[in-house]
């Protein structure tokens, strides 16, 4: 591969994958659904989730799905029971679509959502790991898999669920000849709650989750811009058309209950425009109301637009942004979400231009109390830091070493694990939650500086935007396969610095490519960075080769907190990493609490 040929031609791969899928604009599809409702979880309020599940099951049945209902009013819902139901559909080998719906208590850990089953949290195995299940679903052989979640996405501390590990609900059948399109409809974005309210008796009796009610209503009374006519099928509501509707309607109904309540769904659609779950019934005109719904991806797109980036998700276009929302509204939302504050903090943290050793770290927001490097390298705290003065850690790499794992402990007892890269200064920003950003900048006394200097301002701004977006779970490549391939190439242009790839942006890009099923692009990042840096970064290698890592990999664990959720499903877990995982703080970059750092310090000599 030539150094400037950073992104591979994924269009050919996309065409092959799409050709292998049965056209969904035809009748005669074989479709199945697993519908889960769990009202009772030990120590948590009783829900009415089974009612929502039954309403969804009835509707899916009317849409010619083969439905398997698992509700705890008929007995405990177990992980094994859900797995068996999913495996039955997968192993038939003839399914065109599988829908998995869950209503009940849920929580977020890192970048993963967990669905609590009847035995949780007392039994830490009785939960469904959504992220890991989605990874396996990509290779299940079913062209379209759709996850629908009407659950809270709270922090584990609020649910006494910090040690819940749960499991997968898809069989590990190995790689498939085609990659499934995974659509996700989440009731609320990370850290939010999914509310319940009374709805009309014609839908059900009693209470029902707002998100479920809106989801069903989208098919009963869709708006004119949501429907599409498919030959031989009729008028349907494509999955992609649900996104804007759900965000507007859920927000409206929540605020009808209480002006102080907020619930904004998190919807990710990767399937083609003709993929649908149900047909349209009575088509109506768009509802008019004054509530302004500003999607998070519009905040990110505005920030990218302001710095002249090539990559965006078209969130500011008239087709994606409601007519009553202006760029001023988007700018205001940038402030209220904390996006601007995070971005400004990162931009204000300026690393030193160089160390005599050409390698080191600057730490803003915390005092450096202890630091050590593995593999015969040496870490020296030259300035502990205090107040507005950054801490400095010099790294003297072992002779011939291109980089190494470095552990830094802060004065409050917490700490982080980072990668020292030869010729780079790492700028670490620490907030109350932990490490919010790490940016790598070539040392001014290294051979890389001259090519970086002309691009420095743009890259610093891009670092800040991407890190802020990632902290909100909004750094994604959206659209169908062909669209994602085009956007992926534009992102590649943004993260290049002449003939080099910025290490920080390379890591973020690898996650975005992975999430968008652009695996060849992840591998391009891996190959390009390993050739340029002469080492391999853990996160990039983990995603590129699905656990089959070789050569010099640093650090010994994921750099980003979300990466820890991939260890088990990609076969990279170990007793040491499993123990450390339970001590992660809710930060963007890996940060361990005091107990985790105590454990790491004791076992450091055993780290490979």
């Amino acid at each position: 591969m030539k150094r400037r040929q950073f992104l591979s031609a994924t269009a050919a791969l996309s065409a092959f994958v799409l050709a292998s899928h049965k056209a969904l604009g035809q009748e005669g599809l074989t479709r199945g659904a697993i519908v889960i409702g769990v009202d009772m979880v030990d120590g948590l309020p009783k829900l009415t989730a089974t009612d929502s599940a039954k309403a969804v099951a009835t509707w899916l049945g009317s849409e010619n799905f083969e439905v398997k209902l698992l509700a705890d009013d008929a007995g405990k819902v177990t992980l094994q029971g859900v797995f068996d139901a999913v495996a039955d559909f997968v192993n038939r080998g003839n399914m065109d679509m599988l829908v998995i719906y869950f209503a009940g208590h849920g929580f977020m850990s890192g970048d993963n959502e967990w669905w609590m089953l009847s035995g949780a949290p007392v039994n830490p195995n009785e939960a469904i790991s959504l992220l890991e299940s989605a990874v396996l679903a990509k290779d299940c052989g079913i062209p379209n898999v759709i996850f629908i979640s009407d659950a809270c996405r709270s922090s584990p501390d609020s649910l006494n669920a910090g040690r819940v590990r749960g499991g997968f609900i898809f069989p590990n059948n190995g790689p498939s000849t085609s990659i499934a399109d995974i659509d996700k409809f989440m009731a609320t974005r990370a850290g939010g709650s999914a509310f319940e309210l009374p709805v009309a008796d014609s839908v059900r009796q009693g209470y029902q989750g707002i998100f479920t009610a809106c989801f069903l209503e989208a098919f009963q009374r869709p708006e004119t811009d949501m429907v599409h006519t498919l030959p031989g099928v009729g008028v349907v509501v494509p999955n992609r058309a649900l996104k804007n509707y759900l965000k507007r309607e859920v927000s409206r109904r929540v605020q009808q209950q209480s002006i102080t309540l907020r619930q904004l769904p998190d919807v990710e659609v990767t399937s083609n425009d003709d993929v649908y779950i149900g047909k349209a019934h009575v088509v109506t005109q768009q509802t008019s109301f004054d509530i302004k719904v500003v999607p998070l991806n519009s905040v990110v797109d505005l920030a990218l637009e302001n710095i002249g980036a090539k990559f965006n998700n078209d969130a500011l276009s008239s087709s994606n942004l409601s007519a009553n929302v202006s760029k001023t509204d988007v700018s205001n939302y940038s402030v209220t979400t904390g996006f601007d504050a995070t971005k400004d903090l990162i931009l204000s943290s300026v690393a030193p231009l160089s160390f005599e050793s050409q390698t080191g770290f600057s730490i803003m927001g915390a005092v450096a109390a202890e630091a050590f490097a593995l593999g015969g390298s040496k870490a020296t705290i030259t300035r502990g830091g205090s107040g507005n003065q950054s801490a400095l850690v010099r790294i003297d790499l072992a002779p011939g070493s291109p980089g190494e794992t470095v552990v830094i402990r802060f004065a409050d007892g917490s700490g982080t694990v980072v990668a020292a890269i030869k010729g780079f200064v790492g700028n670490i920003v620490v907030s109350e939650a932990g490490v919010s950003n790490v940016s790598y900048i070539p040392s001014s006394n290294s051979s890389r500086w001259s090519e970086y200097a002309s691009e420095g301002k743009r890259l610093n701004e891009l670092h800040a935007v991407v890190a802020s977006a990632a902290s909100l779970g909004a750094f994604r490549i959206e659209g169908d396969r062909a669209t994602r391939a085009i956007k992926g190439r534009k992102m590649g242009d943004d993260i290049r610095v002449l003939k080099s790839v910025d290490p920080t942006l390379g890591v973020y890009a690898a996650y975005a490519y992975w999430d968008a099923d652009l695996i060849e692009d992840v591998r391009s990042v891996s190959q390009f960075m390993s050739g340029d840096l002469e080492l391999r970064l853990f996160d990039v290698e983990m995603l590129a080769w699905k656990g089959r890592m070789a050569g010099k990999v640093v650090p010994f664990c994921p750099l980003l907190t979300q990466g820890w959720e991939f260890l088990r499903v990609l076969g990279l877990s170990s007793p040491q990493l499993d123990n450390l995982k339970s001590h992660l703080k809710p930060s963007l970059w890996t940060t361990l609490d005091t107990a985790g750092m105590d454990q790491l310090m004791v076992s450091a000599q055993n780290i490979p």
Side-chain angles (χ1 to χ4, degrees), residues 437-454:
N437 184 63
V438 178
S439 301
Y440 288 95
I441 299 173
S443 177
S444 62
N445 57 351
S446 74
S447 59
R448 297 177 180 273
W449 175 255
S450 59
E451 68 175 3
Y452 172 85
S454 62

Side-chain angles (χ1 to χ4, degrees), residues 541-561:
E541 297 308 295
M542 172 182 68
L543 299 176
W545 310 106
K546 296 186 178 180
R548 302 187 302 276
M549 296 194 291
K552 180 73 172 179
V553 179
V554 295
F556 68 88
C557 65
L559 287 161
L560 295 190
T561 302

